[in-house]
Amino acid sequence: MATGGGWAPARSVERHGAPPPRGGGGGGTRSKSVAPGPRRPSPSPARSRPAPDNGGSSDSCRVRVSVRLRPKNSEDLAHGSDFDSCVELQPESKRLKLKKNNWSCESYKFDEVFSENASQKRVYEVVAKPVVESVLEGYNGTVMAYGQTGTGKTYTVGQLGKDDPSERGIMVRALEHILSSMSFETDRVAISYLQLYLESVQDLLAPEKTNIPIVEDAKTGDVSLPGAAVVEIKDLEHVFHLLQIGEANRHAANTKMNTESSRSHAILIIHLQRSSRIKEENSSLSNDTHNIFPDDLPLVLKSKLLIVDLAGSERIDKSGSEGHMIEEAKFINLSLTSLGKCINALAENSPHIPTRDSKLTRILRDSFGGTARTSLVVTIGPSSRHYSETSSTIMFGQRAMKVVNTIKLKEEADYEILYKKMEREVDQLTSEMERQQKLIKSEKMQLDKKFKESERSFHDLRMTSNMRIENLEKEKCQLESTVKTLMRDLEEEKGQKNLLSEQIAELEKLLNKNKQQQLENLSRTKILTDTTKEHEKEMEELLRQLQEERHCSSSLKDRMSVLQQELCDAQSSAQLQESMARELEKKLTKVTEELTSQVQSLKEKISELISEKEVIYEELKSTQEKVQQEMWQRQGLEDQILRLERSTSDNYAEESKTSYGMVRSGSGLGNAAFVSKSGKIREALSGQRGTISKIFEEVGLPNVLALLKSEDLDVQIHAVKVVANLAAEDINQERIVEEGGLDALLSVLETSENTTIHRVTAGAVANLAMNGSNQGVIMNKGGARLLANVSSKTEDPQTLRMVAGAIANLCGNEKLHLMLKQDGGIKALLGMVRSGHADVIAQIARGIANFAKCESRVISQGHRKGRSLLIEDGVLTWMVANSTRFSASTRRHIELAFCHLAQNEDNTCDIIASGGIKELLRISRESPRDDTRNLAKKALDSNPAFLREIQ
């Protein structure tokens, strides 16, 4: 079961006009259709256009009234004959004759007249079906039953007929009609079922919800019940179940007129939401509307149907009511009287409509003279014994026929769907961006891996090449050294060969010389011959050595050429390795460039996604600006309320209203001027809270709390103010704490240095501290310590007033007193006296009174003993010295605190030492409040030490 607030906040678009009428048209002989005058300010629509013109009559928006005659029951038959009837029906002419006696009768004309034999189906089709079809088209509607008790109103409207479908009343048939006409894929339907019992609005679907407030929008005039349960329905079985629960919780009693007499007004509210697209019907509107709403903006039709089963009017002497039933009858008759006054004023086109005289008329404000299509069925009985009640009912219906409503069609921009769509797109873009980033990351990792492998292979190749080159260089050096050695040996051989050649030449010379000498000396021929032979042998040996040397030289040359060839091959291999290394470097450079280009393209895609995200952020920022505008309006109302509170602060009395003994200021006066001022304050507060509620519905609590962390100081200030005003409502306090609002407020209070933020945040904490379940959470999270720190750093009286108010609320919980003292809360409270400001002193006195009262109760119950914690921090001395210096309300707080401290016998010595006996005597004689004087007298009389001091 969902509570109120489940409908999407949206931008209102109204269309003035009415759909074509579906029922019979004519007005009554005693009625005249009059267009309503400007009785209340009309809403300022975002767009309005007339409804389709079907050539309907001028009274197409008039309240349609039908009359239904109940058959005679056993009681009617027992009290008279068949002719004992004061009503004569003429259904053909839609007339009714009311006979006072056999000579006097009056004729009345209605929109429809139902005889006692009329079926439930025909009543629905004539009375309610046109209104239901109008509601399905987007207009508000009301179907209501009015009449004397026991005339069949509940049977006509609320009969379930689960076993017999022909017996079903208007409620069941209307919901069956709506469910059959809606598409659950795009449309929604929900109901609230309430009763007005003893002028208190109660929820029939959630009986624990009582005294539900009625909220009126100051701008549009719309009436809402924010605390009522709103249950979405899907099928008829669910409808039967909910209506049975409501009927079981509704108040009924047995009277002489009716065995099951309804003792409360039952109101079934059906909320419809249907998707729609505005189709422009004339060119004059197309340009303006296109500028306001783009073609793709989703729109919804929002309408509301009220089905009202009024409790019957009754006379005590006839109904036999007694005891509590008399009180019930009194409230029923008072609310019906207020409704009759409003109908009279509307019928007479009076400038003032007294809708605020009753909660019933406030709830039905839109049904009579408002913007809803209304159909009324009045039920009467045939017996002449109830002639006066029947006549009064008929005259009520005749006056209601004169009421003309200005029907408006509401179309609203569905920002919930638009927000979800944008959220989906943002999620898709975010997921796509994350996917792209993951893809880029994986590709980058792969490329890095390939690059590292290439570097590794290139490094290995370079190392291998360097090693081979080094080996070849070593071999080359070795070969060069070998060649040098061979060349050196060859040179030596050449030197030896030249030496041998010279020796041969010398020998040839010597031979020639010997030949010449042979001629001269033949004797020496033999010697010379021997010598020559020896020399020839030596020459042969030398020639043979020369040949061997030449052969060895040629082999060395061949080996040297082979070594030179190997050296050339090694050099060419090294050059090939270097060329391969250069090619690898070129490939690596190319791959790096390709990777760089891919990364650049991905960065461009990311920048495009970021730009799209910035566009979405701008749209969200525009929504925040709207929130700021609403906050500025709220600030003006807040200043006005502050001025009114200051002007009336001296007229409030102190009452104990919370379960923890929290002392709050209340009215102790009853004059007309005070009532007038209080009414103005309530109206201002109502308008302010309406504005804040609207901001809350449009933005949502999590988004408001997120703005508390904004770096923009103005945005942060306005967000804190919104949270503070939301915390002023009891229904919001626990939710704010659950959503983390308290943590966010304490964080802002601790980190911010801005005086305005300190003031508003302390006010928000003070509002949250009004809820008993939140007080322990605030203390456990160090709230009192932070408030004490703020009070020591600022001299702004408004900030000190808020801080003192928050600590004063915490003082109303006796379980937190010791922790409050340890965190410096009491010292901080007393330290704020330095400001001297009246409002700050008033909050300090209230906190001391809360503390003293709760402490006194705990001590009297035996849960704690010993001196008061207030006395230990010097509060008693300050109270004695300043008890008569301040305003009347502040003095009352101080006197109350002093009397509660005097109840504790452990405080006797301190009170006597500080001169408090004189103060107690003064309070017992001069205090304007009886309860305070009695408390002071009790403390003096019950304490022997006090009596001795007095004597």
Side-chain angles (χ1 to χ4, degrees):
M1 183 178 294
T3 57
W7 299 89
R11 187 175 181 179
S12 173
V13 182
E14 298 181 355
R15 303 182 187 177
H16 297 269
R22 291 176 172 75
T29 58
R30 293 174 177 262
S31 65
K32 179 180 179 182
S33 300
V34 181
R39 286 183 290 273
R40 64 169 69 100
S42 61
S44 54
R47 170 171 57 190
S48 63
R49 63 177 183 178
D53 187 3
N54 257 10
S57 62
S58 61
D59 62 346
S60 61
C61 298
R62 174 177 58 80
V63 175
R64 297 181 56 80
V65 182
S66 305
V67 61
R68 186 179 194 185
L69 178 64
R70 172 182 58 76
K72 287 187 176 183
N73 54 25
S74 58
E75 186 179 357
D76 294 334
L77 296 175
H79 283 81
S81 64
D82 293 339
F83 301 100
D84 186 20
S85 176
C86 64
V87 178
E88 180 182 343
L89 302 182
Q90 297 174 343
E92 298 81 7
S93 59
K94 299 180 181 178
R95 285 187 174 275
L96 175 147
K97 284 186 178 181
L98 182 63
K99 297 184 293 183
K100 187 172 184 180
N101 49 47
N102 292 333
W103 302 275
S104 174
C105 70
E106 294 182 357
S107 178
Y108 302 93
K109 186 174 183 180
F110 289 90
D111 292 306
E112 190 63 47
V113 175
F114 300 106
S115 68
E116 59 269 27
N117 298 321
S119 65
Q120 292 278 72
K121 180 179 180 182
R122 182 167 179 270
V123 172
Y124 171 76
E125 290 179 347
V126 174
V127 175
K129 187 175 181 181
V131 179
V132 173
E133 292 181 348
S134 176
V135 170
L136 287 170
E137 292 179 2
Y139 299 90
N140 289 341
T142 302
V143 178
M144 188 168 66
Y146 177 91
Q148 182 191 8
T149 181
T151 54
K153 297 183 300 302
T154 302
Y155 174 78
T156 301
V157 174
Q159 184 71 13
L160 293 182
K162 189 172 183 180
D163 298 327
D164 186 1
S166 65
E167 292 292 311
R168 291 174 180 173
I170 291 174
M171 286 184 180
V172 177
R173 292 180 184 271
L175 285 167
E176 185 177 14
H177 186 176
I178 290 170
L179 289 172
S180 65
S181 304
M182 297 188 69
S183 171
F184 290 106
E185 294 179 357
T186 57
D187 304 336
R188 297 173 64 189
V189 58
I191 66 170
S192 297
Y193 200 8
L194 311 169
Q195 70 173 350
L196 182 59
Y197 178 67
L198 299 180
E199 204 60 16
S200 171
V201 181
Q202 302 175 2
D203 199 324
L204 291 174
L205 300 180
E208 69 276 3
K209 296 183 178 180
T210 59
N211 201 18
I212 296 172
I214 301 173
V215 178
E216 298 179 20
D217 194 317
K219 292 184 178 180
T220 64
D222 291 341
V223 178
S224 61
L225 299 156
V230 181
V231 184
E232 190 169 350
I233 58 175
K234 295 294 184 182
D235 52 44
L236 199 58
E237 286 298 323
H238 193 194
V239 169
F240 280 123
H241 175 67
L242 294 176
L243 293 181
Q244 284 174 344
I245 292 174
E247 288 301 318
N249 292 324
R250 187 178 179 187
H251 289 275
N254 184 6
T255 67
K256 292 181 180 180
M257 302 287 292
N258 190 355
T259 57
E260 292 185 3
S261 175
S262 300
R263 313 307 292 169
S264 65
H265 306 298
I267 304 165
L268 178 68
I269 305 175
I270 304 174
H271 305 272
L272 277 78
Q273 178 174 304
R274 309 190 72 186
S275 61
S276 170
R277 266 310 309 173
I278 295 178
K279 297 179 180 178
E280 303 300 339
E281 296 174 357
N282 53 69
S283 59
S284 64
L285 293 174
S286 60
N287 292 332
D288 294 339
T289 57
H290 180 72
N291 292 334
I292 297 174
F293 294 103
D295 293 336
D296 59 349
L297 184 62
L299 299 179
V300 292
L301 288 171
K302 281 192 175 181
S303 55
K304 181 172 62 177
L305 173 62
L306 271 67
I307 302 178
V308 185
D309 178 15
L310 295 174
S313 59
E314 63 180 53
R315 292 185 178 180
I316 304 302
D317 55 346
K318 290 185 178 182
S319 64
S321 298
E322 57 185 23
H324 184 64
M325 292 172 60
I326 295 177
E327 189 72 14
E328 294 174 340
K330 173 186 172 183
F331 278 100
I332 291 170
N333 291 337
L334 283 174
S335 60
L336 293 176
T337 302
S338 299
L339 179 61
K341 289 179 181 179
C342 292
I343 296 297
N344 291 341
L346 288 167
E348 296 170 2
N349 202 18
S350 172
H352 172 65
I353 312 300
T355 56
R356 290 188 173 274
D357 290 354
S358 168
K359 288 187 178 181
L360 177 64
T361 53
R362 289 179 66 190
I363 293 173
L364 299 179
R365 179 177 179 178
D366 198 41
S367 303
F368 293 98
T371 61
R373 174 180 286 277
T374 302
S375 182
L376 172 67
V377 55
V378 295
T379 59
I380 58 176
S383 176
S384 59
R385 294 185 302 111
H386 308 300
Y387 171 83
S388 61
E389 288 86 350
T390 303
S391 175
S392 174
T393 301
I394 291 172
M395 293 309 298
F396 178 87
Q398 289 290 300
R399 287 191 293 270
M401 290 176 67
K402 297 179 182 180
V403 179
V404 180
N405 293 349
T406 303
I407 300 180
K408 297 177 183 177
L409 176 68
K410 278 193 174 182
E411 277 189 338
E412 299 179 346
D414 195 345
Y415 283 105
E416 182 182 25
I417 294 177
L418 182 61
Y419 176 78
K420 289 181 179 178
K421 180 181 177 183
M422 292 174 64
E423 197 175 44
R424 253 192 327 270
E425 291 179 356
V426 170
D427 291 339
Q428 290 176 356
L429 291 172
T430 305
S431 61
E432 178 65 21
M433 185 170 68
E434 290 177 352
R435 191 182 66 81
Q436 291 288 347
Q437 288 178 348
K438 288 181 180 179
L439 185 61
I440 292 169
K441 189 175 181 180
S442 62
E443 290 180 353
K444 185 178 179 181
M445 290 176 64
Q446 292 178 358
L447 291 173
D448 288 341
K449 187 176 180 180
K450 290 182 179 179
F451 181 73
K452 288 179 180 179
E453 290 177 354
S454 300
E455 279 187 338
R456 196 179 301 112
S457 63
F458 177 72
H459 180 71
D460 294 342
L461 183 61
R462 176 175 286 178
M463 292 292 292
T464 305
S465 301
N466 290 335
M467 290 176 64
R468 292 188 65 182
I469 289 171
E470 288 177 358
N471 293 332
L472 290 173
E473 288 290 339
K474 289 180 180 178
E475 290 180 359
K476 180 181 177 182
C477 292
Q478 291 176 357
L479 290 172
E480 285 180 351
S481 61
T482 304
V483 168
K484 287 181 180 179
T485 303
L486 293 174
M487 291 295 292
R488 191 168 49 253
D489 294 340
L490 184 62
E491 289 294 332
E492 290 177 356
E493 292 292 335
K494 284 183 178 179
Q496 292 178 359
K497 180 180 177 182
N498 290 332
L499 183 60
L500 291 173
S501 297
E502 290 176 356
Q503 290 178 356
I504 291 169
E506 290 178 356
L507 289 173
E508 286 179 348
K509 287 179 179 180
L510 288 173
L511 181 61
N512 291 330
K513 187 177 180 180
N514 289 328
K515 285 180 178 179
Q516 290 177 359
Q517 289 178 357
Q518 189 178 9
L519 293 175
E520 296 175 355
N521 193 4
L522 291 173
S523 61
R524 296 181 183 177
T525 302
K526 187 177 179 180
I527 299 168
L528 287 171
T529 302
D530 296 333
T531 305
T532 300
K533 288 180 180 179
E534 290 178 1
H535 283 293
E536 283 178 352
K537 288 179 181 179
E538 290 178 358
M539 278 182 64
E540 287 176 357
E541 184 66 26
L542 288 174
L543 286 173
R544 185 181 60 78
Q545 291 180 357
L546 181 62
Q547 192 68 30
E548 288 177 355
E549 289 293 333
R550 286 178 178 175
H551 180 71
C552 181
S553 176
S554 63
S555 65
L556 288 173
K557 285 182 179 180
D558 292 337
R559 185 179 176 187
M560 183 178 173
S561 62
V562 170
L563 290 174
Q564 287 178 347
Q565 185 65 35
E566 288 179 355
L567 181 61
C568 291
D569 292 339
Q571 288 177 348
S572 63
S573 175
Q575 291 176 356
L576 181 62
Q577 292 288 340
E578 288 178 353
S579 65
M580 288 175 65
R582 284 194 295 270
E583 287 178 0
L584 287 173
E585 287 179 348
K586 289 180 181 179
K587 289 181 180 179
L588 190 60
T589 303
K590 186 176 180 181
V591 170
T592 305
E593 290 174 353
E594 290 177 355
L595 288 174
T596 305
S597 63
Q598 289 180 1
V599 170
Q600 186 64 29
S601 64
L602 291 173
K603 286 182 179 179
E604 291 175 356
K605 289 182 181 179
I606 293 171
S607 64
E608 290 176 358
L609 293 173
I610 292 172
S611 63
E612 291 177 0
K613 188 174 182 181
E614 289 175 352
V615 171
I616 296 171
Y617 176 77
E618 290 297 329
E619 294 177 356
L620 294 176
K621 190 174 181 181
S622 66
T623 305
Q624 291 178 355
E625 291 175 356
K626 294 178 184 177
V627 174
Q628 290 180 3
Q629 292 176 0
E630 294 291 342
M631 289 299 297
W632 293 335
Q633 296 176 4
R634 189 203 61 74
Q635 181 65 34
L637 292 173
E638 186 181 37
D639 295 339
Q640 184 179 1
I641 292 166
L642 186 59
R643 289 195 295 271
L644 290 171
E645 286 178 345
R646 288 177 179 174
S647 66
T648 57
S649 62
D650 291 338
N651 296 326
Y652 285 98
E654 194 66 24
E655 292 182 4
S656 210
K657 288 187 177 180
T658 64
S659 60
Y660 296 115
M662 185 181 299
V663 181
R664 297 182 182 175
S665 58
S667 176
L669 304 175
N671 55 53
F674 178 77
V675 173
S676 174
K677 289 181 180 180
S678 298
K680 291 180 181 178
I681 292 173
R682 284 195 296 270
E683 291 177 2
L685 285 172
S686 176
Q688 177 188 1
R689 289 173 181 171
T691 302
I692 297 301
S693 298
K694 183 178 178 182
I695 296 173
F696 174 60
E697 291 175 359
E698 289 182 355
V699 180
L701 181 58
N703 294 331
V704 173
L705 295 179
L707 293 177
L708 293 176
K709 302 178 181 178
S710 173
E711 296 180 358
D712 191 331
L713 185 60
D714 292 336
V715 174
Q716 193 177 33
I717 290 173
H718 289 304
V720 174
K721 289 180 178 180
V722 170
V723 176
N725 281 276
L726 289 175
E729 296 290 339
D730 294 343
I731 58 175
N732 297 330
Q733 291 171 355
E734 291 187 3
R735 183 180 173 192
I736 289 173
V737 174
E738 291 172 357
E739 295 284 346
L742 176 60
D743 293 337
L745 289 171
L746 295 179
S747 176
V748 170
L749 193 65
E750 183 176 13
T751 58
S752 177
E753 299 294 334
N754 185 272
T755 303
T756 303
I757 289 181
H758 283 169
R759 171 169 54 83
V760 182
T761 306
V765 175
N767 289 339
L768 292 176
M770 294 172 68
N771 187 313
S773 61
N774 293 339
Q775 293 172 352
V777 180
I778 293 172
M779 292 298 300
N780 291 332
K781 293 182 179 293
R785 177 181 52 77
L786 292 176
L787 291 169
N789 290 339
V790 171
S791 69
S792 65
K793 295 179 182 178
T794 183
E795 297 297 331
D796 177 48
Q798 297 305 323
T799 304
L800 292 175
R801 180 172 68 89
M802 293 298 180
V803 173
I807 295 176
N809 289 340
L810 294 173
C811 286
N813 191 336
E814 64 269 20
K815 298 178 181 178
L816 306 177
H817 283 180
L818 185 59
M819 189 184 300
L820 192 63
K821 173 179 171 59
Q822 292 172 351
D823 288 350
I826 305 302
K827 287 185 178 179
L829 197 65
L830 195 60
M832 286 183 276
V833 173
R834 69 181 184 278
S835 70
H837 195 276
D839 292 340
V840 179
I841 301 297
Q843 294 297 326
I844 294 171
R846 182 171 72 84
I848 293 172
N850 283 346
F851 197 103
K853 183 175 182 180
C854 295
E855 188 179 54
S856 175
R857 182 172 62 246
V858 172
I859 291 174
S860 65
Q861 293 173 355
H863 298 309
R864 194 173 76 80
K865 293 183 179 180
R867 293 173 67 211
S868 171
L869 299 177
L870 293 174
I871 294 177
E872 296 177 4
D873 286 334
V875 173
L876 180 61
T877 305
W878 176 81
M879 289 167 57
V880 172
N882 299 278
S883 60
T884 59
R885 288 181 53 193
F886 306 113
S887 63
S889 60
T890 303
R891 289 201 304 273
R892 285 195 293 273
H893 286 309
I894 294 175
E895 290 172 357
L896 184 64
F898 202 92
C899 290
H900 281 297
L901 288 176
Q903 303 299 315
N904 184 2
E905 293 183 355
D906 292 331
N907 298 335
T908 302
C909 295
D910 297 285
I911 293 175
I912 294 173
S914 63
I917 298 296
K918 293 181 180 179
E919 187 60 23
L920 276 175
L921 287 171
R922 185 193 65 78
I923 294 171
S924 67
R925 297 167 184 169
E926 301 176 3
S927 176
R929 292 179 63 95
D930 294 336
D931 56 345
T932 306
R933 289 200 305 273
N934 294 333
L935 201 60
K937 291 176 181 177
K938 178 183 176 183
L940 290 170
D941 295 337
S942 62
N943 195 319
F946 288 166
L947 294 175
R948 286 195 298 271
E949 287 294 324
I950 293 172
Q951 293 173 359

